[in-house]
Amino acid sequence: KAGVTQTPRYLIKTRGQQVTLSCSPISGHRSVSWYQQTPGQGLQFLFEYFSETQRNKGNFPGRFSGRQFSNSRSEMNVSTLELGDSALYLCASSLSGQGASYEQYFGPGTRLTVT
Amino acid sequence: AQSVTQLGSHVSVSEGALVLLRCNYSSSVPPYLFWYVQYPNQGLQLLLKYTTGATLVKGINGFEAEFKKSETSFHLTKPSAHMSDAAEYFCAVSVIQGAQKLVFGQGTRLTINP
């Protein structure tokens, strides 16, 4: 099976702009989670989508949003970018159903740089 | 709220030596515990997990970890380090069955000396 894919891999944006990142989960996986990784804050949970519904949400401002499509692909959007949003954004997918083993499989990430 | 503490942001061992990466968790309910590894410019790869049952779990690449409830620990070990083990290692906890929200430790960077 193909792994989790994320596009684009690298992105440079200017403060105040918005950005959309895309994630395609492993085939058959219905849960998609997003994490932000920075040197200072480490890995932090953004949100999780399951069957097109946000099921969990982390402590991030409303500028961070996401959605999931019927094919389980997910996008996250960051509006009004700030310098502090520069990070590696990781997407993870999971089966997340009855009897599922709960592990998440991560994509390679999108490196966002805000200038 | 659950939390994870990894003792030592940097660990250095010689090739062939024992690798021990420490992880302690805080949780009011039985946790699900994971170790992930991250190589430069890559995402996270699952090494092993503990959900229920046997407290000594074996993972990929010769790694294993033991869940000790009394010590709230989940330390990662490997008997003999290889140069290819050089990476960053993350311990994570998930406490809600079926929930896909991981709380990660700050990570431990493992360096292998030849």
Side-chain angles (χ1 to χ4, degrees), chain A residues 33 35 37 101-104, chain B residues 36 38 43 49 97 100 102:
Chain A
S33 299
Y35 295 84
Q37 185 177 25
S101 55
Y102 313 116
E103 63 256 38
Q104 296 184 40
Chain B
Y36 283 88
Q38 186 176 35
K49 64 176 182 179
Q97 186 175 7
Q100 299 302 310
L102 292 172

Side-chain angles (χ1 to χ4, degrees), chain A residues 1-5 24-30 93-95 105-106:
Chain A
K1 278 185 179 178
V4 178
T5 59
S24 292
I26 293 171
S27 177
H29 285 191
R30 295 169 63 191
S93 75
S94 174
L95 282 171
Y105 297 87
F106 284 79

Side-chain angles (χ1 to χ4, degrees), chain A residues 79-91:
Chain A
S79 62
T80 319
L81 284 166
E82 300 177 0
L83 294 178
D85 297 333
S86 294
L88 180 67
Y89 290 89
L90 292 163
C91 165

Side-chain angles (χ1 to χ4, degrees), chain B residues 62-89:
Chain B
F63 285 94
E64 61 182 38
E66 186 171 11
F67 170 63
K68 291 187 176 181
K69 184 178 178 180
S70 61
E71 298 177 8
T72 60
S73 68
F74 191 56
H75 302 331
L76 181 71
T77 60
K78 182 174 180 177
S80 176
H82 293 181
M83 295 299 292
S84 60
D85 293 329
E88 188 146 22
Y89 292 79

